[in-house]
Amino acid sequence: MKNKDKDMNEIINHLKTFGFVFQSSEIYGGLSNTWDYGPLGILLINNIKKNWWKKFITLESKNVGFDSKVILNSKVWQSSGHLQNFADPLIENKINNKRYRADHIYEEITNQNSSSLTDKELENWIKENVKEYDNSKTDWTEIKHFNLMFKTAQGVVEQTKNQLYLRPETAQGIFINFNNVQRAMRLKLPFGIGQIGKSFRNEVTPGNFIFRTREFEQMELEYFTFPNDDENAYKYYVEKSKNFILDLGINKESIRLRIHSEDELAHYAKATTDIEFEFPFGWGELMGIANRTDFDLKAHNKFSDIELKYFDQESNQTIIPYVIEPSVGVDRLMLAIIVDSFCIEQIDQKDSRIIMKLDYKLCPYKVCVLPLVKAQSLQSKKIMEYLNENDIETNFDESGSIGKRYRRQDAIGTFWCITYDYDSDIDNSVTIRNRDTMKQERIKIDQIIDYINKNSNTK
Ligand code: GAP
C-alpha cells in the first residue's frame, strides 16, 4: 500500500494502543498539538538517534559531537538574524477570528510556491480570491509578521531588558562554540560539529500529528569547510543524507529531493536541498541540507567581542569557514519511518495482520521470548536476560495464545519471536519465527545470537 493511501487516524490509534505516542496532558484535556512518547516510542527514537550519531559523527572521523543549551544569551538571536527574520506571514479572518499562514493558504489553493510574492501581493491575492475559508466567510486583515521564537525569562525578576528565548534551532549553539571546540580538539579544517537536542518554535499552524509541533527535537551537523570547497561538501552531504534516510529502511519511492529556488532560500543560505517524504497528508519536508556559507560565523564576529575564525597553517591565512548543514527533526523522521513501515497484510481470506516492517536496527524490540505455557516462564526470561545483556533488545510475553502474541509483536515491529516449548528442556532448542516471512526454524539456544546476527537483514 502506498503511503498516500494509508489512513493517518488508523496509524495514530495504533500508536496510542501499543504505547508509542500519547496525547500530552491527556487527563487535563490535552495540550493542542503536543504528544508524549510512550515506552515503545522512546525505544524507537533512541534507535533513530543512535543511527544518526553513528552515521554523522562516529563514522565521519573528522566530526565531533556537542551539546549546547536551549536558552542562550539573547544576543545570539540578534546576531543570527532570528529576531528580525524568523517570522511567518499571518493573516486573520475577522469573521471567525482565526489566524492563518498567508503563504500556506496561497500554496494550498494554487499548488504553487508563494516565495516570489511580496506580502502585499500575497495579501491582495487572498483578499480577491479567498472569499470562503475553513468553513467560514472571510473578511481578511492585513498580513502581519509573527516571530516564532518562544519568549522566556531567567531569575526571579522579569525584566524586559533580559528577554530570553528558547532556541528555534540547535545550530547556533554550535556556531558560538566554534573556537572552543576547534581549539580543544585541535581540529583541522574541514570538520563537523553535530548535536541532537530540543528546539522550540511557536508555530502558527502546527499539526499533522507529530509532523509540525511547537516542541521538537533536531539532529543537526554543522560541517565547516574551506570557502572554495563548499560545493563539494554540499553535494557530499546531500548524498549522505539521502543514503542515511534509505538506510533506515525507508522506501526509495517514498522520498524525493527538492532544490530550493533562489527566492525561497532562508536568509542565511546560498543553496538548500530538501529531502521530502510522502506522508498520507501529502509530500512534506523531512530533512534539509543547506549551504549556510560564512553567514553565521560572520554575524557572530560582527556582534560579539570574540572573532570566530580559523588559522590555516598551510596557506598561512586566517579563514572564516563555510558551513554545510544537514538538519533533520527526530519526531518528523520517526513519523516517516512509522508511516513507511505500517502495513496491513492479508494472510488468507479470513485473517489479516498489522505489521510495522521496521528495519531490524530500529525495532523497539529485536526479539520477544514467548513461553508456550507459564511454567516455562523462568527459562524464557533467562533467554531474554541473556539477549539483553548482549545488547539485543528483547522483551517477554506470556499472556494469551501464541497466535495472539505473534500478532501483538508483529504490530510493534518485533523482528523475531522465540518460543520456548515442552521440548526445549530436552533438546536445548527453541523455535524462532521471522516477523516478515512468518517462517519458523528450530535452533539451539546457544546458537540464538549467531542466528540473529546472520539473519537479521539490516541495511
Ligand atoms: N538549522 C536549520 C533548520 O532548523 P529547518 O528547515 O527550519 O532548518 C530542520 O528545520 C528540520 O527540523 C526540518 O527538516 C524538520 O525535519 C525539523 N522541523 C522543523 N520545524 C519543525 C517542527 N515545528 N516540528 C517538527 N519538526 C520540525
Side-chain angles (χ1 to χ4, degrees):
M1 192 194 271
K2 292 209 160 131
N3 290 344
K4 70 174 163 48
D5 301 323
K6 293 180 183 172
D7 179 347
M8 205 53 221
N9 286 329
E10 187 177 16
I11 295 178
I12 295 172
N13 284 336
H14 180 80
L15 296 177
K16 284 183 184 168
T17 309
F18 285 94
F20 283 85
V21 183
F22 301 116
Q23 163 84 62
S24 184
S25 315
E26 193 173 3
I27 62 163
Y28 292 107
L31 176 66
S32 64
N33 299 294
T34 313
W35 305 90
D36 292 336
Y37 296 134
L40 295 187
I42 189 63
L43 288 174
L44 175 56
I45 279 186
N46 285 344
N47 289 338
I48 293 170
K49 290 192 207 170
K50 207 157 62 187
N51 274 281
W52 181 89
W53 196 270
K54 182 174 170 192
K55 287 264 155 64
F56 285 86
I57 309 289
T58 315
L59 292 178
E60 290 283 342
S61 59
K62 290 179 145 295
N63 296 353
V64 293
F66 198 69
D67 187 40
S68 70
K69 289 292 166 259
V70 166
I71 301 174
L72 303 171
N73 189 312
S74 307
K75 287 184 187 156
V76 171
W77 309 113
Q78 251 160 21
S79 313
S80 68
H82 281 85
L83 270 176
Q84 307 85 310
N85 297 320
F86 199 56
D88 282 339
L90 265 198
I91 193 159
E92 186 173 332
N93 179 3
K94 285 186 268 178
I95 293 185
N96 65 4
N97 292 321
K98 283 193 184 169
R99 291 175 178 180
Y100 303 94
R101 286 267 300 264
D103 51 341
H104 282 182
I105 294 182
Y106 178 85
E107 285 165 13
E108 182 189 319
I109 295 172
T110 63
N111 230 348
Q112 278 174 22
N113 199 288
S114 65
S115 49
S116 60
L117 301 180
T118 63
D119 279 357
K120 210 66 218 160
E121 287 168 336
L122 197 55
E123 183 186 306
N124 289 342
W125 188 91
I126 290 175
K127 282 181 173 166
E128 258 167 48
N129 295 287
V130 191
K131 305 288 183 199
E132 266 191 33
Y133 192 71
D134 198 8
N135 299 321
S136 164
K137 296 240 173 294
T138 60
D139 179 10
W140 298 108
T141 60
E142 288 184 350
I143 286 182
K144 285 202 185 109
H145 276 260
F146 174 79
N147 195 289
L148 298 187
M149 279 196 294
F150 270 99
K151 290 180 179 159
T152 187
Q154 189 163 271
V156 284
V157 184
E158 275 196 40
Q159 289 171 321
T160 44
K161 262 198 254 162
N162 283 340
Q163 183 66 68
L164 293 169
Y165 302 89
L166 306 185
R167 68 179 176 202
E169 61 170 7
T170 65
Q172 297 301 325
I174 294 178
F175 297 135
I176 58 175
N177 278 286
F178 173 81
N179 284 359
N180 289 337
V181 178
Q182 189 270 323
R183 276 197 213 119
M185 306 304 288
R186 289 172 287 121
L187 298 172
K188 292 252 185 299
L189 214 60
F191 62 86
I193 308 176
Q195 76 169 317
I196 301 178
K198 286 274 171 103
S199 290
F200 299 81
R201 295 181 190 178
N202 202 359
E203 298 278 3
V204 181
T205 48
N208 281 330
F209 190 40
I210 53 173
F211 177 81
R212 182 175 286 109
T213 52
R214 295 189 169 114
E215 174 180 342
F216 57 100
E217 220 169 352
Q218 288 185 307
M219 304 189 281
E220 301 202 291
L221 177 79
E222 308 306 320
Y223 185 76
F224 300 92
T225 186
F226 291 100
N228 60 7
D229 202 36
D230 63 327
E231 285 177 16
N232 284 335
Y234 174 69
K235 273 190 214 137
Y236 175 81
Y237 274 105
V238 170
E239 195 56 25
K240 183 173 175 89
S241 300
K242 190 182 85 187
N243 289 335
F244 162 67
I245 302 284
L246 295 177
D247 281 354
L248 293 176
I250 287 182
N251 289 303
K252 61 179 187 309
E253 298 75 33
S254 304
I255 61 164
R256 67 182 185 197
L257 299 192
R258 192 177 71 79
I259 297 167
H260 282 213
S261 61
E262 229 167 79
D263 47 18
E264 113 186 73
L265 289 171
H267 63 275
Y268 50 72
K270 167 180 163 185
T272 297
T273 299
D274 283 346
I275 301 178
E276 295 187 332
F277 178 84
E278 188 172 34
F279 292 95
F281 43 83
W283 287 90
E285 175 190 336
L286 178 59
M287 181 164 189
I289 303 94
N291 180 345
R292 293 183 78 125
T293 67
D294 52 5
F295 176 91
D296 300 275
L297 293 183
K298 267 194 176 153
H300 292 300
N301 286 350
K302 193 162 151 200
F303 291 102
S304 74
D305 297 332
I306 292 177
E307 264 197 274
L308 304 170
K309 58 189 181 190
Y310 175 81
F311 181 71
D312 182 39
Q313 281 166 339
E314 253 175 55
S315 64
N316 211 17
Q317 273 184 335
T318 298
I319 290 168
I320 306 203
Y322 267 40
V323 173
I324 306 305
E325 176 196 64
S327 170
V328 59
V330 176
D331 315 67
R332 205 174 276 187
L333 183 52
M334 166 156 114
L335 180 59
I337 288 165
I338 288 169
V339 164
D340 217 55
S341 66
F342 184 88
C343 346
I344 301 172
E345 201 179 78
Q346 205 61 39
I347 296 173
D348 53 41
Q349 280 188 333
K350 277 189 276 168
D351 203 9
S352 67
R353 62 173 184 152
I354 293 179
I355 333 173
M356 285 175 73
K357 285 198 173 176
L358 295 166
D359 189 90
Y360 175 77
K361 61 185 172 292
L362 294 182
C363 299
Y365 294 116
K366 293 0 182 197
V367 180
C368 182
V369 189
L370 319 168
L372 191 62
V373 292
K374 286 204 173 140
Q376 295 147 351
S377 292
L378 203 66
Q379 298 92 314
S380 305
K381 278 187 177 158
K382 272 195 191 146
I383 296 177
M384 171 183 75
E385 279 159 19
Y386 167 67
L387 294 178
N388 276 323
E389 265 165 23
N390 282 279
D391 296 325
I392 298 175
E393 295 127 313
T394 303
N395 76 27
F396 169 84
D397 187 1
E398 61 178 0
S399 57
S401 71
I402 284 285
K404 282 210 175 105
R405 284 184 260 170
Y406 282 158
R407 290 289 178 277
R408 221 162 26 224
Q409 296 305 319
D410 292 342
I412 64 171
T414 307
F415 207 89
W416 299 108
C417 281
I418 289 178
T419 305
Y420 194 99
D421 58 25
Y422 293 111
D423 291 334
S424 299
D425 283 336
I426 304 158
D427 64 2
N428 280 323
S429 298
V430 285
T431 304
I432 189 160
R433 167 193 181 265
N434 180 291
R435 176 195 67 197
D436 298 343
T437 62
M438 295 195 281
K439 266 215 205 119
Q440 301 189 10
E441 274 188 71
R442 192 86 187 155
I443 58 170
K444 292 276 178 212
I445 292 173
D446 62 8
Q447 300 286 305
I448 294 175
I449 292 183
D450 273 356
Y451 181 90
I452 288 174
N453 286 340
K454 221 182 274 164
N455 294 289
S456 304
N457 51 331
T458 185
K459 288 186 182 166

